[in-house]
Amino acid sequence: MSAEPQSRQRRTRRRGNVSPPAKRDVNYRTLRNPFPPTPVFSEDRVEAIHESSLKVLEELGMKVLLPDARRRFKEAGARVDEDEEMVYIGREIIEEALRTAPRSFIGRAGARHRDVVFELGSLMIQSGGGAPHATDISRGRRPASLRDYEELIKLTQHFDVMHMANPLVEPQDVPTHLRHYAFTKAVLTLTDKLPFIYSRGTPQVRDAFEMVRNFRGLSEDEFNADVHCYTIINTNSPRQLDVPMAQGLIDFALAGQVSIVTPFCLMGAMAPVTVAGALMLSHAEALAAIALTQITNPGAPVCYGAFASNVDMKSGAPAFGTPEQVKANLGAGQLARKLGLPWRCAAGCAANVNDAQAAHETQMSAWGAVLAGCTVLIHGAGWIEGGLTVSYEKMITDMEVMQIFAELCTQTPVDDSEIGFEALAEVQPGGHFFAAQHTMERYQTAFYEPLIADWSNFGTWTERGEKDATQRANETWKNILHTWQGPPMDEVRVEEMEAFIARRTEEGGAPPES
Amino acid sequence: MSAEPQSRQRRTRRRGNVSPPAKRDVNYRTLRNPFPPTPVFSEDRVEAIHESSLKVLEELGMKVLLPDARRRFKEAGARVDEDEEMVYIGREIIEEALRTAPRSFIGRAGARHRDVVFELGSLMIQSGGGAPHATDISRGRRPASLRDYEELIKLTQHFDVMHMANPLVEPQDVPTHLRHYAFTKAVLTLTDKLPFIYSRGTPQVRDAFEMVRNFRGLSEDEFNADVHCYTIINTNSPRQLDVPMAQGLIDFALAGQVSIVTPFCLMGAMAPVTVAGALMLSHAEALAAIALTQITNPGAPVCYGAFASNVDMKSGAPAFGTPEQVKANLGAGQLARKLGLPWRCAAGCAANVNDAQAAHETQMSAWGAVLAGCTVLIHGAGWIEGGLTVSYEKMITDMEVMQIFAELCTQTPVDDSEIGFEALAEVQPGGHFFAAQHTMERYQTAFYEPLIADWSNFGTWTERGEKDATQRANETWKNILHTWQGPPMDEVRVEEMEAFIARRTEEGGAPPES
């Protein structure tokens, strides 16, 4: 690709006139999903799944282990069998809940530019969450510690494309009756994004709410009037809601905070072996949980959710990134749109190491979630071993994919100057555009700058030590942590929080419910 | 997940009644794309790009290096400047070409079940093609040889999701004046899929057509009446068509064989730095090439194509799997639908090794092609280093993704038995579905069986030697080659082909044109 003398001359002449282009400035913080939602079922079959779910709730019922939740369902008109702890929920209860559940609400973060909108059409992304283990190629695989949680939440804070602070790994080195203090402190002080609070029983939730209120400087009324934190509620599929999860739904609804309801339905294991069957079960359980929030506090913010994949029928092992997970994601999107509620969906990965399988599985399932029109995409970065481990390196390599999704949410300029007839006229046949005016005006901002991709040729790459993406990602996360600066914090409030934790610790903390 | 005693009992009772389910039987050979095409431009801006392309052809023109091609354009009414070798193509010539180019045609393979349909809505996939190097982790990176080509074509023959036989790697150990004999022999005898023929000048194409005709047992008229092979035509962007490519367009059109026209436009290098600008150039060049086929033989089968990505503006290195490539794919789909022609698009990967970057780039760009509604997806498996190398292991790990695309093209069953209300009634709250009748009837066929994914848990995976996807893929391709059995071949015709090659070799072969 040799330069034509003529265009080289132009380059020199014109460069003087061109003011240096602005550096690329992208906003990954507020995303709208640009993809047309992809259906897998005809509309009448979506209706058939929904009807079957209503029939399940009416005729087969849900086992609800918390007496207070059964009482609330009963007062709302459900038939309750106290001996069997079974609740049979009529469709009128579900319909009323779907009438009062809000279609759109704002999540208030620690800084206004981090606020997020829960509604169909929004796209919010989270990293992998809830793993008992952490791994990186420098320190190896280990039970996750508070240090791991703190490091990983710092990494997600670094990336604007991570829209909420989430429960990455379980800090197993902190005793369970004190763990929520350490966790909530980290999620409030190391990030300014919408914080996650675990639902492990009312005493812990009450502590955490108090920490959020005090740290944000909110009265109880102010706190209750807006969403300042969120939790994730997993049912015990099939058709069971346990004590801490039911308490969480009630506690968060009463406080006007958002529960993201997510039945975890593995086809062939805790759910029917078919995509349609797993979604029917998942949908029924989600509707029951949503109903509990609306019975408790009509209008309380709540997020529909689905996380369905299949198992390997030879071993029973969970599988992710499969065509069945993609189809389940797409079908769940159809059910969510039928309800009109914001909803969460998930990527997933069953690989044991950050290899090509791991990359393919996470990206494949993430596409399923994005094409399903999900509002919140969970487990988008770092999740391996079917959620048993968060990998620091995979966090980084997946982040590239999430950033590219964010790029795909941006407009593609196409006015006449972008089409560039003049640019074509400037370059001879067989020539090149490196020096064209059109290029000079745009080259610094035209393209996404990769986080981890190395586009150097084989010779250069070899000379530089043949580092694969995982090795480069290892350097990347270390650099981020090394130079990390937290969001601005009110040191007085941090001290008050520490005093609160010290007092509550002295009082014996709060063990989780089970 | 302990079994409920009751459901265990049912399992035992019912198993006797269930006849063993059929083994999973999927047809990956004929795919229809199920995804709604995703636009990046408004319809009026697609029209603006098309109009700009027509203006480029009329006012800026194409440099056409082959006198015979200039003569044909001139006879069709184009303004030709012989001194500058420039052809200025009026819109009426393009419009007439788009009127005669067929919207749908069949590619005849070596076996009827391998025939493919070129039309919008079809989805055909090819592996990576055209690489000068081959690599695998056992033998390392090397200039590609005939042995590499033969091994790789055997691998693609093994997978039904590879719909056409393609030019995987360049057999550099065969002299260029004889290479087309070895290549064409391999592409006819080691696979029964639609064969690729290189367009490296009329003498080589004539030889190859004769080999196809004789091997398929076709008269010249029979051969010309249907598509029995295809070629790929790359323009020399910007705005130039060289001698062998122009000869190929003419030779294939005269013989009723299909040219897949693909300008290769790297934004910021051989094309404008913007997505819209690169597509405008690519579209103009494709229209010029399509016009040449239709001027030569109105109604000749031809395939529109686009392959646009960006370069790293710091180094000039080609980049793939970028948001810009995805957007260009989507925009190219809009232009192709405007024309109504079958069209090819491409995945791509600039990584130097089969790592997470490589996986992410190929899958990301492949999604761009699939969501763009492409007819032929090229470089879907094995392509690394921006096309300089085909990796045996990446061929296998990418194949999983292509098979999952094929799975996503299948219907998702959703009749009442699939929804499975009865299955839910059978399983207690908190129980499992492993033993449910609904599961027993489907478990052997419900799910995609992975090619390379390993879903075993960390302990088992560690015990089995901690093999990553690339190491497993190495074993997989070796096993496939070890047990490989070719498609049925008429040995007499193979011998006749060998005699033909011997005679033509003695006559001096046919050097490529340049």
Side-chain angles (χ1 to χ4, degrees):
Chain A
M1 280 180 301
S2 63
E4 300 284 324
Q6 194 186 355
S7 64
R8 228 189 248 142
Q9 213 176 14
R10 283 193 191 164
R11 173 184 183 165
T12 317
R13 198 170 60 238
R14 290 197 176 166
R15 258 197 174 159
N17 300 334
V18 180
S19 55
K23 283 297 286 180
R24 187 172 165 81
D25 182 24
V26 289
N27 175 10
Y28 291 164
R29 293 193 299 268
T30 307
L31 305 181
R32 303 291 297 181
N33 187 333
F35 293 96
T38 300
V40 283
F41 303 130
S42 63
E43 279 309 310
D44 68 303
R45 298 317 293 168
V46 174
E47 193 58 40
I49 292 172
H50 179 69
E51 282 297 315
S52 294
S53 298
L54 294 179
K55 192 174 158 194
V56 164
L57 293 176
E58 282 180 326
E59 297 180 14
L60 303 181
M62 286 281 288
K63 189 163 190 169
V64 177
L65 303 186
L66 181 72
D68 182 41
R70 292 199 298 274
R71 183 185 59 76
R72 290 173 188 271
F73 273 119
K74 188 169 187 176
E75 281 178 10
R79 182 164 60 89
V80 173
D81 179 337
E82 276 294 324
D83 290 343
E84 299 287 339
E85 302 178 304
M86 291 297 295
V87 175
Y88 301 87
I89 309 165
R91 65 174 55 214
E92 68 289 350
I93 299 172
I94 303 297
E95 281 159 10
E96 178 62 14
L98 293 175
R99 209 182 55 73
T100 58
R103 265 58 181 156
S104 176
F105 50 89
I106 293 172
R108 295 291 179 196
R112 288 292 67 74
H113 67 277
R114 299 288 195 194
D115 288 350
V116 287
V117 179
F118 287 81
E119 65 182 16
L120 288 175
S122 281
L123 176 59
M124 295 178 271
I125 303 176
Q126 290 188 7
S127 70
H133 297 88
T135 193
D136 64 75
I137 59 172
S138 300
R139 296 173 291 189
R141 184 178 185 270
R142 61 217 179 244
S145 66
L146 182 60
R147 178 179 170 183
D148 290 320
Y149 183 76
E150 290 174 345
E151 288 179 350
L152 289 167
I153 199 75
K154 286 177 179 178
L155 289 180
T156 61
Q157 168 67 12
H158 177 83
F159 293 101
D160 278 354
V161 80
M162 298 282 102
H163 296 99
M164 301 152 87
N166 73 326
L168 292 131
V169 291
E170 190 65 30
Q172 295 200 53
D173 54 343
V174 184
T176 56
H177 67 295
L178 302 176
R179 193 175 293 171
H180 62 296
Y181 303 121
F183 181 93
T184 307
K185 181 186 171 191
V187 89
L188 286 172
T189 58
L190 299 178
T191 169
D192 56 4
K193 298 177 185 178
L194 185 70
F196 173 87
I197 300 296
Y198 267 114
S199 285
R200 288 176 173 163
T202 298
Q204 289 200 354
V205 168
R206 197 178 291 147
D207 277 340
F209 283 174
E210 188 168 346
M211 290 171 75
V212 176
R213 279 196 305 266
N214 293 340
F215 194 69
R216 297 278 195 249
L218 300 167
S219 71
E220 191 157 341
D221 283 349
E222 286 168 340
F223 177 74
N224 292 359
D226 263 322
V227 170
H228 295 281
C229 59
Y230 74 101
T231 195
I232 290 180
I233 299 294
N234 298 124
T235 45
N236 306 110
S237 306
R239 294 192 290 121
Q240 185 166 287
L241 188 61
D242 69 18
V243 169
M245 293 289 106
Q247 282 186 344
L249 287 166
I250 293 167
D251 294 335
F252 274 69
L254 285 173
Q257 305 305 305
V258 63
S259 291
I260 298 182
V261 171
T262 314
F264 180 35
C265 286
L266 286 171
M267 302 167 212
M270 301 93 92
V273 74
T274 56
V275 172
L279 285 179
M280 189 265 281
L281 174 64
S282 167
H283 190 60
E285 293 178 0
L287 289 174
I290 289 168
L292 181 54
T293 68
Q294 300 304 303
I295 290 166
T296 300
N297 181 11
V302 66
C303 202
Y304 178 79
F307 189 10
S309 192
N310 57 304
V311 295
D312 178 353
M313 290 309 291
K314 295 192 188 89
S315 67
F320 297 96
T322 62
E324 290 75 26
Q325 185 184 9
V326 174
K327 288 178 170 192
N329 284 359
L330 297 177
Q334 292 184 272
L335 290 162
R337 285 193 294 284
K338 181 180 163 51
L339 306 183
L341 297 183
W343 71 291
R344 76 147 250 182
C345 193
C349 164
N352 287 290
V353 68
N354 186 32
D355 61 358
Q357 176 190 345
H360 279 315
E361 288 181 343
T362 296
Q363 188 181 154
M364 180 60 68
S365 47
W367 270 107
V370 168
L371 296 177
C374 75
T375 312
V376 185
L377 191 171
I378 294 187
H379 307 320
W383 210 70
I384 59 170
E385 294 180 41
L388 294 179
T389 299
V390 166
S391 155
Y392 283 59
E393 287 84 19
K394 185 163 162 63
M395 174 81 79
I396 301 297
T397 52
D398 287 342
M399 201 66 73
E400 185 100 281
V401 176
M402 300 303 128
Q403 293 194 158
I404 291 176
F405 279 129
E407 291 281 335
L408 295 178
C409 294
T410 63
Q411 284 284 320
T412 306
V414 63
D415 64 18
D416 289 347
S417 72
E418 297 291 328
I419 294 176
F421 181 86
E422 298 303 321
L424 269 195
E426 190 182 334
V427 176
Q428 300 303 308
H432 68 75
F433 291 77
F434 285 117
Q437 170 92 348
H438 190 257
T439 306
M440 297 307 297
E441 288 165 2
R442 292 169 177 80
Y443 76 96
Q444 285 192 302
T445 58
F447 303 140
Y448 168 73
E449 282 176 37
L451 169 65
I452 201 68
D454 181 344
W455 297 328
S456 58
N457 65 35
F458 188 80
T460 306
W461 176 79
T462 304
E463 280 164 27
R464 288 182 187 158
E466 302 190 345
K467 288 176 193 158
D468 69 14
T470 299
Q471 291 168 305
R472 298 194 302 272
N474 179 267
E475 294 171 8
T476 300
W477 70 255
K478 285 179 179 169
N479 285 338
I480 293 170
L481 291 184
H482 187 67
T483 59
W484 195 84
Q485 289 190 313
M489 288 289 144
D490 182 333
E491 284 307 317
V492 175
R493 290 213 175 119
V494 175
E495 282 166 28
E496 287 170 358
M497 187 194 297
E498 283 163 355
F500 170 85
I501 294 173
R503 176 170 65 79
R504 292 288 296 125
T505 300
E506 205 163 307
E507 290 167 2
E513 300 272 326
S514 62
Chain B
M1 281 178 301
S2 64
E4 300 285 325
Q6 193 186 353
S7 63
R8 232 190 245 142
Q9 213 176 15
R10 284 194 189 162
R11 173 183 182 165
T12 317
R13 197 172 60 239
R14 291 199 175 166
R15 258 197 173 158
N17 299 336
V18 181
S19 54
K23 283 298 284 181
R24 188 172 165 79
D25 181 24
V26 288
N27 176 10
Y28 290 165
R29 293 192 300 267
T30 308
L31 304 182
R32 302 292 298 182
N33 187 333
F35 293 96
T38 301
V40 283
F41 303 130
S42 63
E43 279 309 309
D44 67 305
R45 299 317 292 169
V46 173
E47 193 58 39
I49 293 173
H50 179 70
E51 282 297 315
S52 294
S53 298
L54 293 179
K55 192 174 159 192
V56 164
L57 294 177
E58 281 179 325
E59 298 181 13
L60 303 181
M62 286 281 288
K63 189 165 190 169
V64 177
L65 304 187
L66 181 72
D68 181 42
R70 291 199 300 275
R71 184 185 59 75
R72 290 173 187 271
F73 273 120
K74 188 168 187 177
E75 281 179 9
R79 182 163 61 88
V80 173
D81 179 337
E82 276 294 326
D83 290 343
E84 299 286 338
E85 303 177 305
M86 291 298 294
V87 175
Y88 301 87
I89 309 166
R91 66 172 56 213
E92 69 288 351
I93 298 172
I94 302 298
E95 281 160 10
E96 177 62 13
L98 293 174
R99 208 183 55 72
T100 58
R103 265 60 181 153
S104 175
F105 51 88
I106 293 172
R108 296 291 179 196
R112 288 293 67 75
H113 67 277
R114 299 289 194 193
D115 287 351
V116 287
V117 179
F118 288 80
E119 64 182 16
L120 288 175
S122 281
L123 177 59
M124 295 178 270
I125 303 176
Q126 290 188 7
S127 71
H133 297 88
T135 193
D136 64 76
I137 59 172
S138 301
R139 295 173 292 188
R141 184 178 185 271
R142 61 217 179 242
S145 66
L146 182 60
R147 178 178 169 182
D148 290 320
Y149 182 75
E150 289 174 345
E151 287 178 351
L152 289 166
I153 199 75
K154 286 178 180 179
L155 289 179
T156 61
Q157 168 68 12
H158 177 81
F159 293 102
D160 278 353
V161 79
M162 298 283 103
H163 295 100
M164 300 151 89
N166 73 326
L168 291 132
V169 291
E170 190 64 30
Q172 295 200 53
D173 55 343
V174 183
T176 55
H177 68 294
L178 303 176
R179 193 176 293 171
H180 63 295
Y181 302 121
F183 181 92
T184 306
K185 181 187 170 190
V187 89
L188 287 171
T189 58
L190 299 177
T191 170
D192 56 3
K193 298 177 186 178
L194 184 70
F196 173 87
I197 300 296
Y198 267 115
S199 286
R200 289 176 173 163
T202 299
Q204 289 199 356
V205 168
R206 197 177 291 147
D207 276 340
F209 282 175
E210 187 168 347
M211 289 172 75
V212 175
R213 279 197 305 267
N214 292 341
F215 193 69
R216 296 280 194 250
L218 299 167
S219 70
E220 191 157 341
D221 283 349
E222 286 167 341
F223 177 74
N224 292 1
D226 262 322
V227 170
H228 295 282
C229 59
Y230 73 101
T231 195
I232 291 180
I233 298 295
N234 298 124
T235 46
N236 305 112
S237 304
R239 294 193 291 121
Q240 186 165 287
L241 188 62
D242 70 18
V243 169
M245 292 289 105
Q247 283 185 344
L249 286 166
I250 293 167
D251 293 336
F252 274 69
L254 287 173
Q257 306 304 305
V258 62
S259 291
I260 299 181
V261 172
T262 314
F264 179 37
C265 286
L266 286 171
M267 301 168 212
M270 300 92 91
V273 74
T274 56
V275 173
L279 286 178
M280 188 265 282
L281 174 62
S282 167
H283 189 61
E285 294 178 0
L287 289 174
I290 289 169
L292 181 54
T293 67
Q294 300 304 304
I295 290 166
T296 301
N297 181 10
V302 66
C303 201
Y304 179 79
F307 188 12
S309 192
N310 57 304
V311 295
D312 178 354
M313 289 309 291
K314 294 191 189 91
S315 67
F320 296 96
T322 63
E324 290 75 25
Q325 186 185 9
V326 173
K327 288 178 169 192
N329 284 359
L330 298 176
Q334 292 184 273
L335 290 162
R337 285 192 294 285
K338 182 182 163 48
L339 307 184
L341 296 183
W343 71 291
R344 76 146 250 183
C345 193
C349 164
N352 287 291
V353 67
N354 187 30
D355 61 357
Q357 176 191 344
H360 280 315
E361 288 181 343
T362 297
Q363 188 181 155
M364 181 59 70
S365 46
W367 271 107
V370 168
L371 295 177
C374 75
T375 311
V376 185
L377 192 171
I378 294 188
H379 308 319
W383 210 69
I384 59 170
E385 294 180 41
L388 294 180
T389 300
V390 165
S391 155
Y392 282 60
E393 286 83 19
K394 186 163 162 62
M395 173 80 79
I396 301 298
T397 53
D398 287 342
M399 201 68 71
E400 186 99 282
V401 175
M402 299 303 129
Q403 292 194 158
I404 291 177
F405 279 129
E407 290 282 334
L408 295 178
C409 294
T410 63
Q411 284 284 320
T412 307
V414 63
D415 64 19
D416 289 347
S417 72
E418 298 291 328
I419 293 176
F421 180 87
E422 298 304 322
L424 270 195
E426 190 182 334
V427 177
Q428 301 302 307
H432 69 75
F433 291 77
F434 285 117
Q437 170 91 350
H438 190 256
T439 307
M440 298 307 297
E441 288 165 1
R442 291 169 177 81
Y443 76 97
Q444 285 191 303
T445 57
F447 303 141
Y448 167 72
E449 282 176 36
L451 169 65
I452 200 68
D454 180 344
W455 297 328
S456 58
N457 65 33
F458 188 79
T460 305
W461 176 78
T462 304
E463 281 164 26
R464 289 182 187 159
E466 301 190 346
K467 288 177 192 157
D468 69 15
T470 299
Q471 292 168 303
R472 298 194 303 272
N474 180 267
E475 294 171 8
T476 300
W477 70 254
K478 285 178 178 169
N479 285 338
I480 292 170
L481 291 184
H482 187 67
T483 59
W484 195 82
Q485 291 189 310
M489 288 291 143
D490 182 333
E491 285 308 318
V492 175
R493 290 213 175 120
V494 176
E495 282 165 26
E496 286 169 357
M497 187 194 297
E498 283 163 355
F500 171 86
I501 294 173
R503 175 169 64 80
R504 293 288 297 125
T505 301
E506 204 164 306
E507 291 166 0
E513 301 272 326
S514 61

